Amino acid sequence: MAEPKLTGVMGAPVGHSLSPLIHCYWIKKYELQAEYIPLPVLPEQLTEALHSLKFLGFCGVNLTIPHKEKAYTQMKWLSPSAQAIGAVNTVKVEADGTLTGDNTDAQGYLLNLQQDLGQPERYFDQTVILGAGGAARAIVFALKQAGAKNIYICNRTLEKAQALADAFDVNVIAWQNRQEQMRHTSLLVNTTSLGMQGKAALDIDLSEFPQSGAVSDIVYRPKLTQLLRQAQMRGCRTSSGLGMLLYQAVPAFESWFGVRPQVDESLVRLLEEQLEQ
Ligand code: NAP
């Protein structure tokens, strides 16, 4: 019998990661001879750990906090999205042992938006992105690629909003002015950690947000955030963070195993159950 293909996720900590659940589900579904395992790796061990992958028989790994930026410098080749975002979340060990890096967050975000909104470009006139962290960077890149116009970054720390806006040639709104912008917005995206279980709530009122608009929240604990609940009560289309988490795994799995996996109902339910625990 052939040796199983090895994959996994490197992080510190890594126990919270939902990636093993997703990839192991697909490995079983597609009857692959493969394993996907959590790999606790400290920041100071990352370089050595990455370059050991080929000797240990791994065909690739995912990277989570805090490794995504540091791994960037260790790759022989970087995909255009990894270059634009400045971070790597998917590593492939090529046949000659070299490491190539991709960032699937942007693609995953767009795949999920298509799934949830049908034709997301209908909402691309005026986009407000709350937050300017790592996830916001992937989302600005994704939305620009997909043709969104008039993108505004709105972040508590103005300098970070400005740096992100300069990098992608988009606009900035001061955090304290977010409320008055709502009535002019067609797509609102929350990329801050506000609204996440255990964090403060996102203080925003959607009563003047157009009912024809859409709201996307990348926070996935809980699945239905207060922001999404508010948007649904107003009759707006919504897109959840759980979908982004699932769809960013699709291109990673395909790059290692050559099978494009499906995000099916049972997998969504499995994740929802896990998040409820
Ligand atoms: P990050 O780089 O640490 O950025 C955090 C962002 O939240 C920053 O813009 C920060 O503003 C803002 N923020 C934090 N506390 C705040 C507060 N009290 N008031 C106003 N703004 C606040 O984190 P990240 O990696 O971008 O992730 C952000 C969120 O997205 C997390 O909840 C993460 O779980 C989620 N996420 C989801 C997915 C998915 O697949 N669904 C993928 C990636 C991330 P400052 O700049 O002012 O600090």
Side-chain angles (χ1 to χ4, degrees):
M1 203 155 75
E3 291 288 320
K5 279 187 159 186
L6 296 179
T7 52
V9 52
M10 286 184 180
V14 76
H16 70 287
S17 173
L18 293 169
S19 293
L21 202 66
I22 301 172
H23 288 282
C24 290
Y25 174 89
W26 285 329
I27 286 171
K28 196 166 167 210
K29 175 174 174 175
Y30 297 104
E31 299 179 341
L32 302 178
Q33 269 289 105
E35 302 282 347
Y36 186 102
I37 44 185
L39 299 162
V41 172
L42 293 172
E44 59 273 22
Q45 300 165 334
L46 179 69
T47 304
E48 224 175 328
L50 282 171
H51 294 289
S52 303
L53 287 172
K54 64 179 171 197
F55 304 117
L56 296 170
F58 277 74
C59 60
V61 285
N62 282 132
L63 299 169
T64 186
I65 292 170
H67 299 320
K68 292 184 186 184
E69 284 81 17
K70 189 172 173 198
Y72 184 88
T73 58
Q74 301 301 318
M75 301 293 120
K76 176 103 187 250
W77 178 87
L78 289 158
S79 70
S81 59
Q83 286 182 39
I85 298 164
V88 167
N89 74 350
T90 302
V91 177
K92 187 172 179 201
V93 182
E94 302 294 342
D96 64 359
T98 57
L99 302 178
T100 56
D102 191 9
N103 191 313
T104 61
D105 279 342
Q107 208 185 324
Y109 180 74
L110 284 180
L111 285 169
N112 183 47
L113 216 55
Q114 269 153 17
Q115 182 68 25
D116 288 342
L117 303 183
Q119 291 169 302
E121 50 290 351
R122 281 188 297 162
Y123 305 95
F124 282 173
D125 277 350
Q126 296 278 339
T127 304
V128 172
I129 297 173
L130 303 174
R137 208 174 165 85
I139 287 171
V140 179
F141 172 71
L143 289 173
K144 272 209 87 168
Q145 287 260 307
K149 298 181 277 293
N150 307 316
I151 297 176
Y152 293 87
I153 314 283
C154 180
N155 190 51
R156 175 181 60 176
T157 309
L158 184 64
E159 297 75 36
K160 280 172 72 180
Q162 195 60 61
L164 181 56
D166 290 347
F168 289 94
D169 194 20
V170 297
N171 315 290
V172 167
I173 305 174
W175 184 245
Q176 58 274 23
N177 295 340
R178 64 193 184 281
Q179 192 57 57
E180 62 205 50
Q181 192 66 24
M182 285 305 105
R183 76 177 79 113
H184 310 295
T185 301
S186 52
L187 177 63
L188 173 65
V189 187
N190 176 42
T191 76
T192 72
S193 43
L194 295 172
M196 192 175 149
Q197 223 166 59
K199 300 268 179 180
L202 172 61
D203 180 18
I204 205 149
D205 176 3
L206 297 183
S207 53
E208 292 190 37
F209 186 83
Q211 284 175 306
S212 57
V215 177
S216 144
D217 195 339
I218 71 160
V219 167
Y220 56 83
R221 272 178 222 263
K223 183 187 174 194
L224 190 62
T225 60
Q226 279 298 334
L227 179 70
L228 294 183
R229 201 185 292 270
Q230 214 190 132
Q232 287 178 2
M233 280 166 65
R234 193 152 166 70
C236 300
R237 297 287 295 262
T238 58
S239 180
S240 83
L242 188 64
M244 175 181 174
L245 182 74
L246 283 160
Y247 279 99
Q248 59 79 31
V250 168
F253 191 90
E254 187 178 20
S255 77
W256 301 323
F257 302 121
V259 177
R260 187 146 181 101
Q262 260 197 327
V263 174
D264 59 29
E265 274 305 310
S266 316
L267 177 57
V268 174
R269 262 201 312 279
L270 188 69
L271 247 77
E272 284 173 351
E273 280 165 18
Q274 182 66 29
L275 288 173
E276 275 163 22
Q277 279 171 20

